């Protein structure tokens, strides 16, 4: 079974493939099908944006499309950057400047608690949808640590493991991460749906 990932993010593809391939699901990127669907993320929630992305790519490809909308929410910043995680700081920012901006905005914060959320939406050509959410609590580190992963991984610290996401192997990250948890829920719902 082939699904299109409604994203240009190869890291997300790798994380999704690692988990879904065990269930006979092949995940390809839009680019593999010669597609590049630009979707304006106008939703106010991760779930709304995931559905918007998946629906647009399903319509463009005619294949089941799966999208993940995710981000990090910091308690001291009233949930920011949240759904704006990818756009934090503006279009000229890259991953490193975004997490540096987050560290700057967290300076002197009364609490460093935060969580990552991932909402996964899958839209089938029939119009059926499957949605799943995963949350991973943690804190924002005082300085970046580790070289793995992507995005805010070097500054997202897991107190129980005493490591940032960027210090985990892909398997370790998948076992605890917001996306790993959302994918586990998604996997279960997909099995039920296909069954
Ligand atoms: P999206 O592609 O619109 O869902 O944007 C997600 C944003 O949150 C991007 O800026 C990512 O860098 C960040 N993000 C999402 N998942 C992760 C993760 O697992 N680690 C680090 N950053 C992430």
């Amino acid at each position: 079974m082939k699904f299109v990932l409604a994203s240009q993010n190869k890291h997300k593809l790798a994380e999704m493939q690692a988990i879904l391939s065990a269930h006979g699901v092949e995940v390809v990127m839009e680019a593999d099908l010669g597609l590049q669907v630009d979707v304006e993320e106008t939703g106010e929630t991760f779930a709304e944006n995931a559905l918007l992305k998946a629906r647009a790519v399903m319509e463009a490809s005619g294949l089941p499309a799966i999208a993940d909308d995710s981000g990090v929410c910091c308690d001291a910043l009233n949930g920011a950057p949240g759904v704006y995680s990818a756009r934090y700081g503006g279009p000229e920012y890259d991953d490193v400047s975004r997490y540096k901006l987050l560290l700057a905005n967290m300076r002197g914060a009364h609490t460093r608690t935060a969580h990552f959320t991932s909402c996964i939406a899958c839209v089938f050509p029939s119009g059926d949808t499957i949605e799943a959410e995963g949350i991973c609590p943690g804190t924002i580190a005082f300085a970046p640590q580790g070289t793995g992963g992507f995005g805010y991984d070097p500054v997202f610290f897991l107190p129980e493991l005493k490591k940032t996401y960027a210090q985990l192997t892909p398997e370790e990250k998948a076992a605890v991460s917001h996306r790993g948890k959302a994918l586990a829920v998604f996997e279960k719902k997909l099995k039920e749906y296909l069954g």
Side-chain angles (χ1 to χ4, degrees):
M1 197 183 1
K2 195 185 269 188
F3 283 68
V4 195
L5 177 67
S7 171
Q8 323 294 334
N9 185 329
K10 290 203 170 125
H11 296 278
K12 282 190 185 178
L13 178 74
E15 291 188 6
M16 293 209 174
Q17 243 164 6
I19 294 171
L20 294 177
S21 61
H23 298 272
V25 174
E26 183 196 351
V27 188
V28 296
M29 296 200 67
E30 290 170 43
D32 298 329
L33 304 174
L35 289 174
Q36 192 190 339
V37 184
D38 285 321
V39 185
E40 233 190 300
E41 296 185 19
T42 51
E44 285 178 12
T45 63
F46 294 113
E48 282 177 59
N49 282 334
L51 262 181
L52 278 175
K53 291 193 265 188
R55 188 162 288 126
V57 171
M58 182 282 292
E59 282 167 0
S61 66
L63 290 171
I66 177 169
D68 156 282
D69 199 62
S70 44
V72 63
C73 306
C74 301
D75 295 333
L77 305 178
N78 297 318
V83 290
Y84 301 104
S85 294
R87 293 163 274 172
Y88 203 43
E92 68 282 7
Y93 274 51
D94 61 7
D95 278 357
V96 174
S97 38
R98 270 190 287 275
Y99 76 59
K100 283 188 175 167
L101 175 65
L102 181 62
L103 290 180
N105 289 341
M106 285 292 292
R107 219 168 278 145
H110 64 280
T111 172
R112 300 194 74 85
T113 56
H115 64 271
F116 254 109
T117 298
S118 161
C119 283
I120 291 177
C122 180
V123 179
F124 292 86
S126 65
D128 289 347
T129 60
I130 299 176
E131 293 178 73
E133 183 184 73
I135 291 176
C136 179
T139 63
I140 301 302
F142 287 92
Q145 292 175 72
T147 53
F150 68 103
Y152 299 89
D153 279 357
V155 299
F156 189 71
F157 185 76
L158 299 159
E160 281 173 22
L161 300 180
K162 295 191 173 57
K163 284 181 181 175
T164 64
Y165 264 177
Q167 292 175 300
L168 302 179
T169 64
E171 294 74 24
E172 287 170 337
K173 183 180 170 190
V176 296
S177 77
H178 53 303
R179 190 164 301 103
K181 288 176 184 169
L183 279 167
V185 175
F186 175 72
E187 204 177 310
K188 197 164 163 269
K189 289 189 175 179
L190 181 67
K191 255 193 202 167
E192 282 165 15
Y193 176 80
L194 296 174

